[in-house]
Amino acid sequence: MTDQSKRSRDQDLEWRGDVPVSRQFDDPYYSLDDGVAETWHVFLAGNDLPDRFCDGFHIAELGFGTGLNLLVALQAFRAAGIPGKLRYTSFEAFPLPLEAMQQAQRPFKELAALAQELAPQWGASEITLQDLEFRLIVGDARDRLPNTDLVADAWFLDGFSPAKNPELWDADLLRAVGEHTAPGGTCATYTAAGHVRRALDAAGFEISRVPGFGRKRHMSVGRRR
């Protein structure tokens, strides 16, 4: 990332307490209530994790943001005592400056040791640990996802609000999500917007509306038919 692009991304951020907020999308990167609890409720429990974890389990994500979902998922994988590796692929059009990522992770003391372990590798397109294979794909997911060979077991659909970031909820992109999901694979997202649920249904998922986290009454979960 060039100094000019870093300054541009810094200028796109404001902070509400410890929570980074995108000025471009007028939306926080994670829940103003509790980002870790939100990840557990929406993305882990929403995908029946950690119960489904196994060696080589592949999580794919739209919207890497602060890296919080990766940290929570890897910590849960380790806590479950699963031998082998977690695979994790994330798509991000606007990577945060490393300093902003680390500042956003800092309030979560339960993740401090893991965040410190990964800190030297943030910014790399690939991270390989004894129990992790991580790949960050930078660019517009509408262009990048269809050209990958990934087959995910679970999707974390974590773009900004559909009303503010419609590109990550585009019907063609969600169709590609379905095409890159293993049979019986799952997806979860914090939004229960009708057009998102309809697009995921059309993409091959059996979609349910379930209780959301915090101030959100509902969220959506799905399983590939």
Side-chain angles (χ1 to χ4, degrees):
M1 178 177 291
T2 67
D3 290 343
Q4 181 177 1
S5 63
K6 176 185 179 298
R7 285 194 298 272
S8 174
R9 295 301 300 141
D10 282 337
Q11 292 166 0
D12 284 344
L13 282 179
E14 63 182 44
W15 295 83
R16 296 181 191 169
D18 294 321
V19 180
V21 178
S22 168
R23 288 196 180 102
Q24 179 179 358
F25 297 106
D26 187 28
D27 214 17
Y29 276 82
Y30 51 72
S31 170
L32 297 172
D33 298 319
D34 186 332
V36 167
E38 178 187 38
T39 295
W40 267 99
H41 180 88
V42 175
F43 298 114
L44 271 72
N47 281 290
D48 298 326
L49 301 173
D51 290 349
R52 294 172 58 218
F53 278 144
C54 60
D55 181 22
F57 191 89
H58 195 166
I59 294 171
E61 173 181 58
L62 296 183
F64 182 64
T66 65
L68 187 62
N69 292 339
L70 169 62
L71 292 176
V72 174
L74 180 55
Q75 186 178 71
F77 185 83
R78 289 180 174 180
I82 306 297
K85 289 194 176 189
L86 174 67
R87 301 176 65 201
Y88 196 111
T89 302
S90 189
F91 295 83
E92 176 58 61
F94 305 104
L96 283 175
L98 304 186
E99 295 86 349
M101 280 184 59
Q102 292 173 319
Q103 182 177 345
Q105 296 166 4
R106 201 166 292 129
F108 303 105
K109 303 305 181 186
E110 64 269 44
L111 299 174
L114 183 54
Q116 184 175 11
E117 179 184 346
L118 291 180
Q121 304 200 58
W122 291 137
S125 60
E126 295 185 359
I127 298 174
T128 300
L129 304 176
Q130 185 175 355
D131 55 3
L132 175 69
E133 290 181 2
F134 169 74
R135 180 168 54 150
L136 178 63
I137 300 178
V138 176
D140 191 326
R142 294 173 295 179
D143 299 323
R144 302 305 303 273
L145 174 57
N147 294 311
T148 69
D149 59 359
L150 77 83
V151 179
D153 298 297
W155 278 92
F156 294 1
L157 304 178
D158 198 22
F160 290 114
S161 162
K164 299 172 181 178
N165 184 200
E167 296 83 0
L168 273 191
W169 309 96
D170 177 82
D172 288 340
L173 175 57
L174 296 182
R175 185 178 305 113
V177 165
E179 292 169 350
H180 288 79
T181 303
T186 58
C187 67
T189 178
Y190 64 86
T191 183
H195 72 278
V196 171
R197 289 187 286 114
R198 289 189 293 273
L200 287 169
D201 178 80
F205 291 95
E206 189 70 35
I207 296 296
S208 301
R209 189 174 72 167
V210 298
F213 175 80
R215 308 173 199 190
K216 295 185 181 294
R217 291 184 59 192
H218 300 108
M219 56 175 270
S220 302
V221 298
R223 185 172 297 275
R224 190 76 166 89
R225 298 187 189 96

